[in-house]
């Protein structure tokens, strides 16, 4: 691996990487706008200028001009510097150029708080303005350019990240650069609408507030949001994401770099998953049916009741959603074993049909179908008629028609675990309110067999508890503690002490 | 004032020739294409490169880069075609030499291109001609067709195994299309956004293939280097910057025009003798020696040899040798504002300092011109220009900034006067 000296510090860096990434690996930030590690190098913002004291072992003379770090590939013996007056002046000057025609929008701009213009100005700018407001070039403000994206041309710094994303990643070319000089405009290509399945990624990569999400605009200042890492449950790809929430409300999700799965991107459907999953009528209490009426019960009491309902009453069908985590599925399998139920099944919920695409979206709309298959579960077309008891976890067979509702009606006992009031819930003798994916920790096995763990991003409503915890208790009640994972026990004690 | 020894005109030979050299028969009768025939028959490409290196020919497009050395950078054995591009976009204010060569002696250029293409191993060459040069385009198209009909272009040219063909491409009219990588992008059908380097065109140019871009005059010179030999070429003008040179003289002179003179001819001789002196009997105030992009010289700096190194030593550049002469009545503030307007209009808009700086310069200069400027504006001009130099993808930004600094340095009183006019 090549060794470079950056700001006097020797670092070993990955061959082929550029100076921005190399410096970052060494703990130094080289400010930049146009460079994005997931896209080609454009070299247009000129924010990353550094001094090259030596190009390599062999060429050890300083280069006369400052060089852009984004287009400087590291070589053994390279000596580069960013902490001197010359580089500082270049950076200050580029920032000043960027801002002379920039609108004074910060108080009303959604990007405020996560804007690279604001950040770098505080870090590298800090000069007095030398232009009159009435001399600024005016361009079009808030213009919708697609179902989720709003464009403000005045705020655009013309870094072309969005253009390159649409040229290089999706190949859909909806955005382009028009005009010249300081009248240059970022705009839609003639006749285009920015509505491809990955469109909102341009909002994430826009370093300023030129491209904002129409759904997120004006919903919350970003500094009120907390960010938690998880995996998108939208399909079998399992993109790494960040969930941005306030209290128990999710405001947006963003992709999180995972070179093995999604790189820097995610699909727009994945961004809608939180509202699909968190919306609807939630179950926030554990219920027991008594004389036709549901009564609220404390969780442990409800679990005891569930155990008594199912124990020693014949084989139990367990119908599991491929949206549940591997931990939940494993516990359900254990439950089925304890109850002598071999009829462990996967049930597919009805969802809109998607096609596999070449980028990320998988035709398998479930995040953990692979995991269930690893556990030997199979997919079911119809109800297991030979069982008179059932556990339905995370899915809604009753919604699939009379074939299922007839069967559910005839059961001697039905335990439902769900986060939502499903059609099936109406048939339940006992209902355990569990957390959604975003409220749970666990593991998914994605379409390529990759195990990916995640933690809860927000807390569940009311009395609802993570499925893996309730199921751990159920296993316990059914007379065995064996197989309950250490993490479940740890979580349990955490919950108990909370 | 005496004229420096003026050897025969070679580049502007058409002026000394009765017949129309656009006609291939006349060109051939005048000895044309004999050099190409001989060289392709007898010499190896490497020998041609060595000959051009030996001649000391430096590029006439502006930067004065040694042509043979540039050719030597072509990536070899890539399995990809090599392209030769003739830069005929000539748009630098004050520059109008390439147009004459194209319109009056197109075969001189084509022959130079055949020789150059052969040297670098290119079987396909392009002439990228400025969009407004419609007449030159038509002439070139006819000339290329005629040469092809004679077997001078196409496959097996001059009855050898070699192939060279030329495509004439009409530009869409932007100054930035003359910057070599902007030209390449434009030729590929894209916006002329200059490319970041590396990679350099000689390694990855047109359609990702090794590419050499040369100016019209450079390629025309190649024809004469190969005909008359490197020693002849090197014998004209200074040793390190030799050869015949076209100087375009415009502005306040009695006889504006294009003059073919040895490199190193004095600027004073150029103005006073060849261009007939400053018009209307006025005194000289300033000269831009190499097109609008280069620093201005004051009247007391014109005893200067017009070659790449001497003009650079004087703090300016020979550039495209577009000499713009200004008399004593010239309003320097208005002149600089006009130049700034040009670059503001022509900046491609990619790089932050150039996109924003060119407009900012013009805004301030407009204020000065209208008598509303302040002394602070002058300091701002310096610092804006400073931020634009050496910080961008291509040299347009430097070209916009350099004149500003030199105008302010050399004609500061004119700028201060524009302030005093309102304050006093
Ligand atoms: C903004 C800009 C405009 C240019 N315009 C021209 C032009 O019109 N014609 C030209 O020959 N070179 C022009 N050049 C120089 C070319 O980039 C290139 O250096 C030249 O064509 C190389 O040819 P040469 O080596 O024969 O001089 C321009 C450069 C810049 C930065
Ligand atoms: S909209 Fe944003 S990402 Fe696109 S060019 Fe402008 S600043 Fe860059
Ligand atoms: S591709 Fe699948 S996993 Fe990735 S964001 Fe979209 S729905 Fe979520
Ligand atoms: S310096 Fe100016 S003209 Fe050249 S690439 Fe940058 S913005 Fe375009
Ligand atoms: S990040 Fe290097 S020029 Fe923009």
């Amino acid at each position: 691996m090549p060794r470079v000296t950056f700001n006097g510090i020797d670092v070993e860096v990955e061959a082929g990487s550029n100076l921005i990434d190399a410096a970052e690996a060494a703990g130094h930030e080289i400010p930049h706008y146009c460079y994005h590690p997931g896209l080609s190098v454009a070299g247009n913002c000129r924010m990353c200028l550094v001094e090259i004291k030596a190009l390599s072992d062999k060429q050890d003379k300083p280069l006369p001009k400052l060089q852009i770090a984004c287009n400087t590939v590291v070589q053994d013996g390279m000596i580069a510097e960013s902490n001197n007056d010359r580089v500082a002046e270049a950076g200050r000057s580029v920032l000043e150029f960027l801002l002379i025609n920039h609108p004074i929008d910060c108080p009303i701009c959604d990007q405020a708080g996560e804007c690279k213009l604001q950040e770098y100005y505080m870090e590298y700018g800090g000069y007095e303005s030398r232009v009159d407001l009435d001399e600024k070039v005016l361009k079009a403000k808030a213009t919708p350019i697609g179902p989720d994206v709003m464009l403000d041309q005045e705020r655009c710094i013309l870094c072309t990240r969005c253009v390159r994303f649409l040229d290089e990643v999706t190949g859909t070319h909806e955005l382009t650069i028009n005009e010249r000089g300081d009248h240059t405009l970022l705009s839609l290509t003639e006749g285009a609408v920015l509505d491809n399945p990955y469109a909102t990624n341009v909002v994430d990569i826009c370093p300023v507030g030129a491209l904002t999400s129409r759904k997120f605009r004006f919903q919350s200042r970003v500094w009120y949001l907390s960010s938690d890492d998880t995996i998108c449950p939208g399909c079998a790809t399992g993109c790494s994401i960040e969930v941005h929430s306030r209290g128990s409300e999710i405001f947006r999700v963003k992709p999180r770099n995972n070179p093995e799965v999604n790189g820097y991107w995610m699909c727009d459907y994945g961004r809608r998953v939180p509202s699909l999953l968190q919306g609807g009528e939630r179950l926030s209490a554990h219920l027991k049916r008594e004389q036709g009426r549901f009564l609220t019960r404390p969780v442990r009491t409800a679990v005891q009741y569930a155990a008594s309902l199912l124990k020693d009453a014949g084989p139990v069908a367990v119908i599991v959603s491929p949206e549940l985590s591997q931990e939940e599925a494993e516990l359900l399998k254990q439950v089925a074993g304890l109850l002598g139920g071999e009829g462990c099944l996967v049930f597919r919920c009805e969802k809109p049909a998607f096609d596999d695409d070449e980028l990320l979206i998988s035709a398998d709309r479930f995040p953990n179908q692979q995991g269930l298959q690893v556990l030997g579960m199979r997919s079911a077309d119809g109800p297991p008629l030979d069982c008179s008891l059932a556990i339905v976890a995370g899915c809604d067979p009753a919604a699939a028609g009379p074939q299922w509702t007839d069967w559910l009606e005839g059961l001697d006992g039905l335990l439902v675990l769900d986060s939502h009031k499903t059609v099936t819930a109406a048939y339940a003798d006992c209902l355990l309110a569990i957390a959604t994916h975003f409220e749970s920790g666990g593991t998914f096995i994605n379409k390529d067999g990759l195990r990916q763990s995640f933690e809860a991003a927000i807390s569940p409503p009311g009395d609802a508890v993570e499925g893996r915890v309730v199921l751990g208790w159920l296993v316990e009640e059914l007379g065995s503690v064996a197989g309950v994972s250490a993490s479940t026990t740890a979580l349990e004690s955490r919950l108990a002490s909370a | 004032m005496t004229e420096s020894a003026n050897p025969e005109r070679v580049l502007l030979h058409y002026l000394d020739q009765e017949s129309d050299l656009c006609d291939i028969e006349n060109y051939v009768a005048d000895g044309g294409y004999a050099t190409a025939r001989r060289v392709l028959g007898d010499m190896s490409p490497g020998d041609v490169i060595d000959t051009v290196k030996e001649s000391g020919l430096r590029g006439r497009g502006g930067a004065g880069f040694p042509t043979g050395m540039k050719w030597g950078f072509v990536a070899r054995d890539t399995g990809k075609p090599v392209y030769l591009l003739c830069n005929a976009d000539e748009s630098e204010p004050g520059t109008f030499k390439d147009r004459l060569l194209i319109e009056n002696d197109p075969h001189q250029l084509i022959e130079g291109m055949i020789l150059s293409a052969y040297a670098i191993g290119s079987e396909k060459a392009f002439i990228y001609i400025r969009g407004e040069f419609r007449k030159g385009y038509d002439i070139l198209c006819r000339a290329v067709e005629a040469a092809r009909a004679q077997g001078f272009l196409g496959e097996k040219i001059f009855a050898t195994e070699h192939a060279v063909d030329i495509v004439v491409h009409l530009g869409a009219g932007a100054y930035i299309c003359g910057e070599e990588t902007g030209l390449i992008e434009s030729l590929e059908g894209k916006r002329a956004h200059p490319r970041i380097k590396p990679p350099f065109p000689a390694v990855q140019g047109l359609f990702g293939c090794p590419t050499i871009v040369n100016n019209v005059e450079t390629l025309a010179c190649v024809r004469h280097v190969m005909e008359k030999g490197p020693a002849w070429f090197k014998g004209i003008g200074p040793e390190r910057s030799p050869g015949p040179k076209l100087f375009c003289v415009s502005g306040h002179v009695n006889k504006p025009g294009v003059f073919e003179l040895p490199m190193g001819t004095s600027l004073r001789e150029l103005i006073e003798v060849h261009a007939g002196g400053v018009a209307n009997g006025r005194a000289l105030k300033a000269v831009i020696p190499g097109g609008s992009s280069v620093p201005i010289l004051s009247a007391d700096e014109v005893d200067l040899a017009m070659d790449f190194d001497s003009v650079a030593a004087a703090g300016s550049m020979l550039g495209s040798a577009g000499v713009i002469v200004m008399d004593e009545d010239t309003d320097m503030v208005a002149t600089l504002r006009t130049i700034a307007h040009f670059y503001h209009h022509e900046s491609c808009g990619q790089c932050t300092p150039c996109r924003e700086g060119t407009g900012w310069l013009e805004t301030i200069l407009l204020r000065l011109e209208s008598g509303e400027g302040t002394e602070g504006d002058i300091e701002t001009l310096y610092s804006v220009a400073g931020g634009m130099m050496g910080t961008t993808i291509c040299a347009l930004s430097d070209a916009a900034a350099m004149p500003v600094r030199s105008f302010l340095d050399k004609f500061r009183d004119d700028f201060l006067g524009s302030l005093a006019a309102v304050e006093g």
Side-chain angles (χ1 to χ4, degrees):
Chain A
M1 292 216 300
R3 293 191 68 83
V4 303
T5 309
F6 189 76
N7 289 344
I9 299 165
D10 276 350
V11 282
E12 214 167 73
V13 293
E14 204 158 308
S17 63
N18 70 11
L19 260 181
I20 293 184
D21 292 338
E24 192 185 303
H28 294 269
E29 178 193 54
I30 298 178
H32 59 277
Y33 289 107
C34 66
Y35 174 64
H36 188 286
L39 304 171
S40 66
V41 173
N44 57 34
C45 75
R46 318 307 286 180
M47 191 63 216
C48 67
L49 290 166
V50 295
E51 203 167 315
I52 306 291
K53 301 276 193 192
L55 252 184
S56 70
D57 285 341
K58 282 153 231 124
Q59 287 164 275
D60 58 357
K61 277 199 274 309
L63 299 186
K65 281 189 189 177
L66 297 181
Q67 300 291 316
I68 48 172
C70 61
N71 196 41
T72 304
V73 176
V74 291
Q75 295 181 55
D76 212 21
M78 180 175 279
I79 305 173
E81 214 173 88
S82 73
N83 58 356
N84 61 37
D85 289 350
R86 196 172 160 217
V87 175
E89 171 52 26
R92 187 209 62 77
S93 160
V94 168
L95 267 172
E96 185 176 25
F97 282 131
L98 279 174
L99 289 168
I100 56 168
N101 284 313
H102 199 81
I104 316 287
D105 278 359
C106 299
I108 51 150
C109 176
D110 246 38
Q111 192 82 2
E114 54 183 5
C115 173
K116 288 288 173 195
L117 278 173
Q118 290 183 329
E119 284 170 32
Y120 293 160
Y121 177 79
M122 298 314 284
E123 185 98 353
Y124 309 98
Y127 54 83
E128 288 292 315
S129 173
R130 294 192 282 180
V131 283
D132 290 342
L133 288 188
D134 56 9
E135 283 174 356
K136 285 183 189 273
V137 176
L138 304 181
K139 298 177 185 173
K141 306 296 287 178
T143 317
I145 54 169
D148 188 37
V149 185
M150 191 72 94
L151 167 65
D152 185 310
Q153 288 177 322
E154 274 183 1
R155 294 181 192 160
C156 171
I157 58 164
L158 299 161
C159 71
T160 70
R161 276 184 175 191
C162 55
V163 177
R164 280 174 284 144
F165 174 80
L166 298 168
D167 287 349
E168 296 165 14
V169 181
T170 60
T172 47
H173 314 288
E174 292 94 338
L175 291 174
T176 188
I177 300 285
N178 282 314
E179 305 294 332
R180 292 200 300 229
D182 56 10
H183 287 75
T184 304
L185 294 175
L186 181 275
S187 41
L188 280 171
T189 334
E190 226 174 287
V193 178
L194 182 54
D195 59 357
N196 74 66
Y198 297 90
T200 309
N201 286 294
V202 299
V203 172
D204 299 331
I205 59 177
C206 180
V208 298
L211 296 172
T212 49
S213 159
R214 294 173 69 185
K215 292 192 189 77
F216 179 67
R217 266 165 77 85
F218 309 134
Q219 296 305 302
S220 172
R221 278 306 194 183
V222 296
W223 51 85
Y224 294 127
L225 301 178
S226 55
S227 169
D228 294 274
D229 293 351
T230 185
I231 303 294
C232 173
C235 79
T237 302
C239 297
S240 292
I241 57 169
E242 278 173 11
V243 172
H244 295 182
S245 62
R246 199 159 104 201
S248 56
E249 192 181 347
I250 296 175
F251 280 80
R252 63 177 181 183
V253 297
K254 281 181 177 285
R256 185 162 52 87
N257 178 25
N258 183 347
E260 273 185 280
V261 180
N262 53 308
Y264 298 89
W265 324 119
M266 71 180 293
C267 79
D268 280 13
Y269 170 73
R271 295 173 199 264
R272 291 195 297 274
V273 168
S275 62
L276 298 175
L277 220 55
Q278 300 300 114
E281 217 177 328
R282 291 295 303 272
L283 277 179
S284 58
H286 311 283
L287 305 174
K288 168 191 177 187
R289 188 193 292 275
E290 243 179 61
Q291 289 150 2
R293 288 192 313 135
F294 279 126
L295 301 177
T296 303
R297 285 286 171 267
V299 63
R300 293 301 294 248
T301 317
V303 171
Q304 276 161 9
Y305 173 69
S308 67
L309 188 72
L310 302 168
K311 210 168 176 178
D312 305 324
V316 177
V318 182
I319 300 169
V320 184
S321 160
E323 286 173 305
L324 294 184
S325 70
Q326 195 64 355
E327 288 77 358
E328 289 165 327
E330 275 167 16
L331 286 162
L332 282 161
K333 185 176 176 176
Q334 220 175 321
V335 167
L338 288 167
L339 294 172
E342 295 310 309
C344 240
L345 302 169
V346 176
F347 181 80
R348 294 158 174 278
C349 307
E350 305 281 333
K351 269 213 191 174
F354 280 74
D355 284 334
D356 250 337
D357 71 4
E358 281 168 15
L359 207 48
L360 296 173
I361 298 171
S362 166
D364 176 359
R365 301 309 302 158
F366 302 106
N368 199 35
Q369 201 173 171
Q370 280 286 321
L372 302 193
Q373 274 163 15
V374 167
L375 294 177
M377 301 184 186
R378 59 193 169 77
S379 120
D381 295 329
L385 297 172
D386 47 345
C387 295
S388 56
L389 292 168
I391 301 175
V392 174
C395 52
D396 196 11
Q403 188 195 11
W404 284 91
T405 46
D406 291 350
W407 175 70
L408 288 166
E409 229 155 75
L411 288 173
D412 295 335
L414 173 63
L415 166 63
V416 169
L417 294 96
D418 214 300
S419 54
H420 285 74
K421 242 175 224 157
T422 57
V423 185
T424 311
Y427 298 86
D429 298 295
C430 180
L431 252 170
L432 296 175
I434 59 171
T436 62
H437 165 73
F438 294 105
E439 300 156 358
S440 307
T443 306
F444 288 149
I445 299 182
N446 84 350
K447 60 177 182 197
D448 299 317
L450 188 74
R451 276 178 177 270
Q452 301 197 96
S453 295
F454 51 87
E455 293 297 329
I458 52 173
S459 12
D463 289 346
V465 177
E466 285 194 42
R468 58 181 176 174
V469 176
V470 205
L471 287 165
W473 289 331
L474 183 60
V475 167
E476 213 170 90
E477 292 296 338
L478 291 173
S480 157
V481 226
V484 179
S485 72
S487 73
T488 309
T489 326
L491 208 113
E492 183 183 339
S493 60
R494 214 174 72 204
L495 284 173
S497 66
Chain B
M1 176 107 241
T2 54
E3 251 179 79
S4 53
N6 189 8
E8 51 162 345
R9 286 193 276 209
V10 289
L11 295 166
L12 299 185
H13 173 66
Y14 76 89
L15 289 171
D16 306 317
Q17 165 74 17
E18 305 253 298
S19 63
D20 177 9
L21 290 180
C22 291
D23 188 329
I24 195 163
E25 279 171 28
N26 296 335
Y27 181 77
V28 170
D30 195 40
Y33 288 114
T35 309
R37 182 188 302 278
R38 176 178 57 79
V39 169
L40 266 65
D42 298 349
M43 287 176 80
S44 74
D47 290 343
V48 181
I49 296 184
D50 289 343
T51 308
V52 170
K53 275 187 184 160
E54 214 184 310
S55 75
L57 170 61
R58 291 169 67 174
R60 276 25 177 171
F65 196 86
T67 304
M69 192 196 287
K70 190 194 246 184
W71 291 359
F73 294 151
V74 170
R76 309 260 156 210
D77 305 321
T78 59
K80 294 178 183 169
V82 175
Y83 293 114
L84 172 70
L85 310 185
C86 169
N87 190 341
D89 193 55
E90 187 167 69
S91 320
E92 171 90 357
T95 312
F96 37 86
K97 61 190 178 65
D98 297 341
R99 194 178 82 187
L100 290 192
L101 297 179
I102 289 165
E103 290 180 1
N104 298 291
D105 199 352
H107 292 286
Q108 168 181 238
L109 172 61
I110 293 171
E111 187 170 5
M113 286 182 72
I114 293 170
L115 291 161
S116 307
Y118 175 67
I120 63 170
S122 166
E123 297 193 340
K124 186 136 201 169
F126 293 81
I127 302 174
Y128 185 100
I129 182 166
R130 177 174 171 171
E132 290 86 348
F133 287 180
R134 194 66 222 203
K135 181 179 170 199
Y137 172 74
D138 291 339
I139 289 173
L140 278 173
C141 287
R142 277 198 297 274
V144 163
E145 225 160 88
R148 210 179 279 136
Q150 298 282 335
F152 302 161
L153 285 175
E155 305 282 320
K156 299 189 190 299
I157 55 175
F158 302 108
T160 65
E161 285 308 301
H162 308 299
V164 174
D165 209 349
I166 294 179
V167 175
V168 187
H169 181 90
L170 191 64
Y175 173 59
I176 199 60
C177 294
E179 194 280 341
E180 59 183 9
T181 56
L183 186 151
I184 290 172
E185 287 281 301
S186 175
L187 196 52
E188 285 184 5
K190 305 181 192 140
R191 279 170 69 86
H193 274 179
R195 295 178 179 173
I196 44 173
K197 292 135 233 168
F200 290 92
V203 179
Q204 249 181 68
L206 185 67
F207 301 117
C209 302
T211 301
I212 289 293
V213 183
N214 276 130
N215 171 257
V216 171
E217 187 186 344
T218 312
L219 293 165
C221 283
V222 171
R223 184 241 193 244
H224 302 289
V225 167
M226 295 317 294
E227 181 186 336
K228 299 187 170 65
W232 163 81
F233 194 85
K234 218 179 170 86
I236 301 170
E239 192 182 342
R240 304 188 51 147
S241 178
K245 179 76 192 97
L246 299 183
F247 296 97
C248 322
V249 187
S250 63
H252 302 140
V253 288
N254 284 313
K255 242 178 64 192
V258 178
F259 305 95
E260 179 178 342
L261 296 163
M263 272 282 192
T265 300
S266 110
L267 181 53
R268 182 181 296 283
E269 177 190 323
L270 197 57
I271 298 167
E272 293 182 1
V273 179
H274 302 285
V278 178
N280 303 317
R282 296 213 177 96
L284 180 67
K285 182 167 189 176
V287 189
I288 296 175
S292 62
S293 300
V294 309
I296 194 165
L297 301 171
S298 55
D300 54 10
E301 292 177 288
V302 296
D303 288 308
L304 174 66
M306 289 289 279
D307 61 75
F308 288 114
D309 302 324
S310 307
V311 185
S316 186
M317 284 154 69
L318 184 63
S320 58
V323 177
I324 306 170
V325 179
M326 298 169 213
D327 72 19
E328 56 189 328
D329 289 348
T330 308
D331 178 341
M332 299 315 265
V333 180
T335 305
L336 184 59
R337 202 269 305 148
T338 307
I339 293 176
H341 173 74
F342 174 77
Y343 292 103
H344 180 199
H345 186 63
E346 297 296 341
S347 163
C348 86
Q350 272 192 102
C351 316
T352 306
C354 176
R355 176 181 70 238
E356 305 296 341
T358 48
W360 197 359
L361 290 177
E362 193 190 357
T363 303
I364 300 172
L365 285 163
L366 275 168
R367 195 156 57 221
L368 288 168
E369 195 184 8
S370 63
E372 286 161 27
T374 64
E375 217 167 321
D377 281 333
I378 296 183
E379 294 327 303
T380 307
L381 283 176
Y382 270 111
S383 83
V384 171
M388 293 169 66
M389 285 168 67
T391 54
T392 55
I393 293 177
C394 88
L396 187 142
S397 190
D398 303 77
M402 284 187 301
V404 172
R405 298 195 128 198
S406 68
F407 268 71
L408 294 175
D409 283 344
K410 293 185 179 162
F411 300 96
R412 194 175 177 88
D413 288 346
D414 291 53
F415 286 84
L416 290 174
S418 80
L419 317 177
V422 269
E423 283 163 8

